[in-house]
Amino acid sequence: MLSSTIKERLDGLRTPFYLYDMGLLERTLEQVTRHSSRYGYAVHYALKANFEPRIFEYVRRFGLGVDCVSGNEVRYAIESGFPPSGIVYAGVGKSDAEMEYGLRHDIFAFNCESRQEVGVLNGIAARMGKVANVALRINPDVDPESHRYISTGQADSKFGISYREISELTAELGEMRNVRVSGLHFHIGSQIRNMAVFAKLCRRVNTLYEWFAAAGFSLGHINVGGGLGVNYEDPETEPIPDFATYFGTFHKNLRVGDCRVHFELGRSIVGQCGELVSRVLFTKTTAGGRNVAILDTSMTDLVRPALYQARHSIENLDGAGRAAREYIIAGTACETSDIFRDEVTLPELRRGDLVAIKSTGAYGSVMASRYNMHDIAPAVFSDTLVRASLRGL
Ligand code: LLP
């Protein structure tokens, strides 16, 4: 990936840092827009995946909408120049102030996640003399076949409205004058690589769509959420996810009349363009004979391995010509779970070597913490890095 091709330019930089390949981001966005526009689909970027201003600016240039999950995200999107008409706002717990903010700006849709939330939104909108655009987030009970911490659409999950409550909700809606149900929303989970899962989601959506249509709702849109996964095991062979097959799966399986179909993609857009670049601080051998390499980064920069047992591909950028050895790759935090890989074979690691942890563009920097009073790793962008080096020539 990028870090190995521009390694000599990285040598002088202080580690750790997130390195973003802006060329790859651009090519990924081109693919997303090309394949979604074939079917007239609307794509919202899931801002939670990465909110670096420069990345967000690229997303804006490609004309995507935004999927937000907090009032601050809605505000940031609006202040970054995204039209409110392209903003969807989900979240199991929206505060009154957050709802007011979204209402004031007439966002495209509040993706409401409980009957109570719809009622509260109706009351706030009435007070403000507004009508809220609502997509009902229905929990469709589909297993995403992903890690349980990133599964959101199964029956007992905290997300969405239970399909068992739909009749009560639609009866209540008859009394509400200040919400307009313009769509249905679904999101079953993240890092989904099996297209059969999305096909199953489509079949559930079709049934629910028919139910709402029969109940007299004239829906304008169906939002099927995000979730398309990336190839963490072997990112070089698949730097850009297969958007043609992904959108094609929905086109083939979804039957929702004239509704416009919306998507909320995060990981698949930014996941592969980021790498966490660090250096080896120390190496040692355990009593059991295992080699340990300690990097100058930790779970405070990248929590995915500790939280979801995620396995990111790792490269020793200084390893050319060295014999391979098996390592535990550890971080500096005072936590036993702060292990990036517990068994990985790499060219021998020595103090000072540059090490790249790949596929960290999504849910990497945004989940950083200051635990142990660590600094937050800065971002370095491939295009400005190139400009800086050209200036130096
Ligand atoms: N829409 C909703 C309502 C969501 O909750 C999410 C992600 C997305 C869209 C975007 O999903 P994506 O296309 O990125 O899969 N921190 C975890 C992932 C959490 C995902 C949260 N929701 C990780 O590092 O794997």
Side-chain angles (χ1 to χ4, degrees):
M1 302 208 87
L2 179 70
S3 59
S4 51
T5 58
I6 59 164
K7 200 241 152 208
E8 65 291 350
R9 295 202 186 112
L10 305 178
D11 275 334
L13 299 177
R14 189 170 156 202
T15 50
F17 57 88
Y18 273 96
L19 174 68
Y20 293 108
D21 182 340
M22 303 309 271
L24 178 57
L25 175 63
E26 197 157 19
R27 292 193 297 281
T28 308
L29 284 162
E30 270 162 19
Q31 295 285 317
V32 173
T33 44
R34 175 176 323 149
H35 293 294
S36 59
S37 62
R38 282 183 62 189
Y39 310 114
Y41 291 163
V43 178
H44 303 259
Y45 169 60
L47 179 54
K48 61 181 85 66
N50 191 311
F51 47 68
E52 277 296 339
R54 292 216 51 220
I55 289 181
F56 204 30
E57 171 57 21
Y58 269 54
V59 170
R60 196 182 62 78
R61 278 206 270 116
F62 277 82
L64 271 60
V66 191
D67 159 42
C68 299
V69 78
S70 70
N72 284 348
E73 284 195 357
V74 176
R75 183 188 306 271
Y76 177 55
I78 290 172
E79 289 176 358
S80 303
F82 284 82
S85 58
I87 295 177
V88 293
Y89 175 19
V92 281
K94 304 176 184 77
S95 71
D96 291 16
E98 289 175 315
M99 290 189 193
E100 279 165 24
Y101 185 80
L103 281 166
R104 213 175 308 130
H105 290 274
D106 296 318
I107 61 171
F108 176 72
F110 287 86
N111 295 337
C112 287
E113 306 216 15
S114 65
R115 284 162 58 194
Q116 194 171 27
E117 180 189 338
V118 180
V120 169
L121 182 61
N122 181 60
I124 294 174
R127 219 174 47 231
M128 294 173 69
K130 294 264 189 186
V131 175
N133 292 316
V134 164
L136 300 172
R137 177 172 181 176
I138 312 289
N139 183 326
D141 195 16
V142 174
D143 181 359
E145 299 176 11
S146 190
H147 190 281
R148 68 193 175 97
Y149 285 180
I150 51 176
S151 301
T152 55
Q154 289 171 287
D156 285 326
S157 139
K158 73 170 181 175
F159 297 97
I161 299 166
S162 156
Y163 58 83
R164 290 185 190 281
E165 290 193 328
I166 294 174
S167 315
E168 287 101 314
L169 173 61
T170 50
E172 287 160 7
L173 278 167
E175 306 296 309
M176 298 188 202
R177 297 282 161 263
N178 294 80
V179 292
R180 182 191 308 118
V181 175
S182 54
L184 299 179
H185 174 237
F186 307 87
H187 174 74
I188 54 172
S190 202
Q191 185 52 19
I192 300 167
R193 301 263 292 155
N194 178 1
M195 291 301 128
V197 168
F198 290 120
K200 184 165 182 194
L201 168 65
C202 288
R203 291 192 290 275
R204 289 285 158 88
V205 172
N206 295 346
T207 307
L208 285 157
Y209 167 78
E210 278 164 26
W211 192 94
F212 275 88
F217 285 83
S218 62
L219 300 172
H221 78 277
I222 297 291
N223 183 339
V224 292
L228 176 61
V230 299
N231 188 339
Y232 282 109
E233 292 81 46
D234 199 1
E236 341 281 321
T237 60
E238 202 183 338
I240 301 178
D242 183 357
F243 291 109
T245 303
Y246 173 68
F247 290 118
T249 301
F250 284 89
H251 179 68
K252 192 165 151 223
N253 293 285
L254 212 51
R255 295 289 168 267
V256 291
D258 293 334
C259 282
R260 183 148 195 225
V261 182
H262 290 240
F263 293 79
E264 303 170 337
L265 297 176
R267 189 190 314 266
S268 53
I269 295 178
V270 290
Q272 297 292 36
C273 76
E275 293 171 80
L276 176 58
V277 181
S278 63
R279 282 185 195 281
V280 177
L281 282 176
F282 303 111
T283 59
K284 62 182 174 183
T285 309
T286 66
R290 302 201 57 197
N291 301 310
V292 182
I294 295 148
L295 306 182
D296 65 359
T297 180
S298 79
M299 65 194 290
T300 61
D301 291 318
L302 179 68
V303 77
R304 303 197 69 259
L307 195 52
Y308 317 111
Q309 295 75 53
R311 286 155 59 103
H312 288 256
S313 166
I314 296 181
E315 186 174 348
N316 177 1
L317 301 177
D318 284 301
R322 297 191 200 154
R325 304 177 75 174
E326 198 175 283
Y327 285 97
I328 297 172
I329 306 288
T332 53
C334 283
E335 290 288 330
T336 311
S337 60
D338 186 23
I339 299 290
F340 290 110
R341 291 291 295 265
D342 58 7
E343 206 181 325
V344 65
T345 302
L346 291 174
E348 186 198 349
L349 288 160
R350 297 179 191 155
R351 176 170 163 79
D353 282 354
L354 268 186
V355 171
I357 307 179
K358 300 178 193 179
S359 316
T360 54
Y363 309 112
S365 63
V366 283
M367 295 182 79
S369 83
R370 297 225 46 206
Y371 182 51
N372 291 186
M373 286 188 80
H374 283 185
D375 292 326
I376 297 289
V380 170
F381 301 95
S382 59
D383 50 351
T384 44
L385 186 75
V386 171
R387 269 208 295 281
S389 88
L390 286 178
R391 253 205 313 272
L393 283 177

